[in-house]
Amino acid sequence: MKHRIRPAILALLLLPLAATPALTQQHFPGDKAMEITQQFVSIGPRWCGSPGHAKAEAFLRNQFSHDQLEEDTFTANTPIGAMPMRNFIVRFPGKKNGVIVLTTHYETNYPLRNIGFVGANDGGSTTGLLIEIANELRGKTLDGYSVWLVFFDGEEAIESWQGTDHTYGSRHLAAKWGADGTLKRIKALLLADMLGDKDLNVQKETQSTPWLSDLVMQAARNTGHAKYFFAREQAEEDDHMPFLQRGVPAIDIIDADYGPHTQLLPDGWHHTAQDTMDKISARSLTIAGDVFLESIKLINQR
């Protein structure tokens, strides 16, 4: 992340199930996404240019070695000079003419490179989420639109979230796809960010495409997860913005309220060494996966 812009006995027995849907096998396997996240986060810090970043790249490459994988390499002009970066794009073809894009970022915060910041939630959890979504899609016939997964590099600032010192990978890819006509094929872009939080409370990101926000809320209702979505509103500068600015319907699905806010940690666990695996849960990843897969179905029905 991201810079905030701010602001009857049977019936009784069944009540808990109605209030909190049981996570049965029909739900997205958040436990598997959690295992992948653990493996990924165990790499350690993965800021751009680090040995950990190279290991993260190798991890993604290995996950998609038998898929339609594109490595989108580029050089970013940063406050500390030219820096090589790499987006990963995985394509699952569909029968309908058009594309649904699911995205996350995978690197960790560069300014925090010396404190052992591993980004279990911020970058790690949604990388695990998208990899398990790929496992759910792989080998299936997609009767709807093609689904592409994008793992952005360089979402985090190199020095500070000022000017263009952030979202390097998404800005690069949005420009590239704008030039070659790919953007015209995109029906919707869904960005996943910080969705492993045990205390899941996904905000309504106010700059996102309104109809897509409504659709994601409907997906949350359909899957029994409405209480985890959109209780509050807030704007975010994140990887969806370069696509929104080029007319692509896009939404940032994010829980930026992460951990207790104290005098010592005014922004909770976000961008601190406390962003570790014990702060995230398989249940939250199940909820997120359910809503993402249901959103794909709803977009295909439009």
Side-chain angles (χ1 to χ4, degrees), residues 214 216-226 291:
D214 292 343
V216 168
M217 188 66 235
Q218 185 60 54
R221 293 192 192 98
N222 291 356
T223 53
H225 301 313
V291 171

Side-chain angles (χ1 to χ4, degrees), residues 165-188:
D165 185 19
H166 55 83
T167 60
Y168 291 97
S170 55
R171 288 188 290 111
H172 162 79
L173 190 61
K176 177 180 177 179
W177 281 355
D180 68 14
T182 300
L183 291 186
K184 296 176 183 179
R185 299 182 58 198
I186 299 176
K187 302 301 179 179

Side-chain angles (χ1 to χ4, degrees), residues 68-290:
Q68 293 185 26
L69 173 65
E70 175 189 349
E71 298 188 24
D72 172 37
T73 60
F74 63 101
T75 300
N77 294 318
T78 80
I80 61 171
M83 182 173 286
M85 296 188 183
R86 188 185 308 265
N87 298 322
F88 289 82
I89 305 162
V90 190
R91 295 177 169 89
F92 294 95
K95 292 183 177 180
K96 293 176 68 174
N97 184 25
V99 180
I100 300 169
V101 183
L102 312 183
T103 75
T104 182
H105 78 97
Y106 71 92
E107 93 289 8
T108 53
N109 185 289
Y110 185 87
L112 303 181
R113 63 194 180 280
N114 295 322
I115 69 167
F117 176 73
V118 298
N121 192 29
D122 191 2
S125 65
T126 47
T127 296
L129 174 69
L130 260 63
I131 291 173
E132 185 53 36
I133 287 176
N135 292 339
E136 294 294 297
L137 297 175
R138 188 176 293 112
K140 296 180 181 177
T141 300
L142 303 185
D143 292 325
Y145 299 118
S146 296
V147 177
W148 295 358
L149 309 181
V150 180
F151 299 82
F152 288 124
D153 203 356
E155 185 266 355
E156 301 282 9
I158 299 302
E159 285 189 347
S160 65
W161 274 75
Q162 303 295 323
T164 58
D165 185 19
H166 55 83
T167 60
Y168 291 97
S170 55
R171 288 188 290 111
H172 162 79
L173 190 61
K176 177 180 177 179
W177 281 355
D180 68 14
T182 300
L183 291 186
K184 296 176 183 179
R185 299 182 58 198
I186 299 176
K187 302 301 179 179
L189 181 144
L190 286 69
L191 168 62
D193 203 350
M194 300 180 69
L195 296 177
D197 187 358
K198 282 184 176 179
D199 182 21
L200 190 64
N201 182 17
V202 179
Q203 70 198 54
K204 185 175 184 179
E205 200 287 315
T206 56
Q207 299 175 103
S208 298
T209 304
W211 72 258
L212 195 46
S213 294
D214 292 343
L215 182 144
V216 168
M217 188 66 235
Q218 185 60 54
R221 293 192 192 98
N222 291 356
T223 53
H225 301 313
K227 71 177 182 179
Y228 300 103
F229 283 77
F230 299 172
R232 59 191 178 87
E233 296 185 356
Q234 183 171 295
E236 296 285 344
E237 291 291 331
D238 211 342
D239 278 324
H240 64 314
M241 293 302 297
F243 295 89
L244 278 175
Q245 291 162 358
R246 288 170 172 79
V248 176
I251 182 172
D252 189 5
I253 304 177
I254 181 172
D255 176 2
D257 185 14
Y258 178 43
H261 300 264
T262 65
Q263 187 173 1
L264 185 62
L265 299 172
D267 206 16
W269 298 319
H270 175 230
H271 283 176
T272 72
Q274 283 70 45
D275 184 4
T276 48
M277 286 298 300
D278 58 304
K279 311 302 194 309
I280 66 175
S281 77
R283 180 176 180 81
S284 293
L285 294 175
T286 290
I287 293 165
D290 282 349

